Amino acid sequence: MTAVFFDYPKAAAFGRVVPKTRIYEHAGANTALKDLFVTQVDQIAWKFKLAPETINLAATRAVSEIQVFGVSLRTNKLDDEVLRAIDRAIPFPLIFELTWSGKRRAVAAFKRPSDADAAKWVVSEYFATDWAPDDAPRQPLPVALNLNGLYEAILTAMMPAPSAAGEDIQIRVARMEAIRAKAREVGRIKTRLAREKQFNKRVAINAELRTAKQELERLTAGDPVAGCGE
């Protein structure tokens, strides 16, 4: 995954530090989650507010604003539960920029209002760019007709495989999650194969591995996956 970073307009700068205690309150953090924040997170900053009044793009029902959060880390690893807690606490789609030791990466999940309850949010798995130098060049924001289109374009830039023709964002996210799950399955099968000594069992595991690899190739090439309404 290449590192793609966007140049957010100065008019959208927000620049406020977010106390961890505020996240704890709104996310209902337990002791284990608070410990993750303490050991992994140095500071959380609300960096940009992408809204109709700051970037001149119309809001939609699903995306009225996009918030860009900077998270400076104490370590190069961050548990997804930390990001999920921030997503639970902030009722808008979020883009995270993580910084650590002179490097940065962008991370985000697809976040949408629940079909069953518009007051609740459905959050996908997280997508991330590679780490890159903190001074790596930034690209202009993608051209979009509204905030929903901008959000989809930013998310798509973080995904591990290209989008397919006619694929809406929910189907695309479901396919990316299926790619990730199938890649994990391929890895598990390879581990079993490496450990197995009996020839007959190795033949069966090899066949299973071929099938899993073919399914992974099919998904990566853009074959659709059933959507995930909620």
Side-chain angles (χ1 to χ4, degrees), residues 1-228:
M1 178 73 240
T2 56
V4 177
F5 301 100
F6 293 106
D7 189 12
Y8 298 105
K10 289 183 174 60
F14 200 61
R16 293 185 188 172
V17 173
V18 180
K20 295 177 188 177
T21 52
R22 292 282 298 278
I23 303 298
Y24 300 162
E25 292 167 11
H26 289 282
N30 58 22
T31 301
L33 181 56
K34 290 178 183 178
D35 286 345
L36 287 176
F37 271 88
V38 169
T39 57
Q40 297 180 352
V41 176
D42 182 33
Q43 187 180 79
I44 304 166
W46 196 326
K47 297 181 71 174
F48 295 95
K49 174 183 176 179
L50 309 182
E53 64 271 20
T54 63
I55 61 170
N56 201 30
L57 283 179
T60 66
R61 188 187 75 82
V63 184
S64 59
E65 296 180 5
I66 305 166
Q67 314 301 343
V68 181
F69 273 42
V71 183
S72 57
L73 304 180
R74 300 183 188 277
T75 169
N76 67 336
K77 294 189 182 300
L78 180 65
D79 196 291
D80 281 355
E81 283 307 305
V82 171
L83 298 180
R84 206 165 288 281
I86 302 173
D87 260 318
R88 286 199 302 269
I90 307 297
F92 296 102
L94 300 182
I95 307 297
F96 296 100
E97 287 199 352
L98 312 183
T99 56
W100 172 78
S101 188
K103 293 180 286 188
R104 71 170 182 250
R105 75 188 310 195
V107 183
F110 174 51
K111 185 175 178 181
R112 62 176 177 83
S114 168
D115 294 335
D117 183 352
K120 295 182 179 179
W121 291 83
V122 178
V123 181
S124 75
E125 293 183 5
Y126 285 91
F127 304 104
T129 67
D130 291 334
W131 286 101
D134 201 31
D135 59 356
R138 291 176 177 267
Q139 298 182 11
L141 280 177
V143 175
L145 297 176
N146 52 40
L147 285 170
N148 191 73
L150 177 64
Y151 180 50
E152 291 186 12
I154 292 172
L155 278 178
T156 299
M158 299 182 201
M159 292 182 179
S163 56
E167 186 178 53
D168 72 26
I169 187 66
Q170 289 193 47
I171 297 299
R172 188 178 311 148
V173 168
R175 182 166 63 86
M176 298 302 157
E177 292 179 335
I179 286 171
R180 186 174 291 173
K182 188 59 65 176
R184 287 195 295 263
E185 182 184 338
V186 167
R188 288 194 296 269
I189 296 171
K190 285 180 176 178
T191 299
R192 283 169 46 212
L193 182 62
R195 291 175 179 169
E196 184 55 62
K197 304 302 180 187
Q198 294 185 29
F199 176 76
N200 288 346
K201 290 184 178 179
R202 285 182 62 85
V203 169
I205 295 172
N206 259 316
E208 186 180 348
L209 180 59
R210 276 196 305 274
T211 299
K213 283 182 174 179
Q214 288 168 357
E215 291 172 358
L216 180 58
E217 288 171 4
R218 177 180 60 79
L219 287 166
T220 304
D223 281 11
V225 176
C228 48

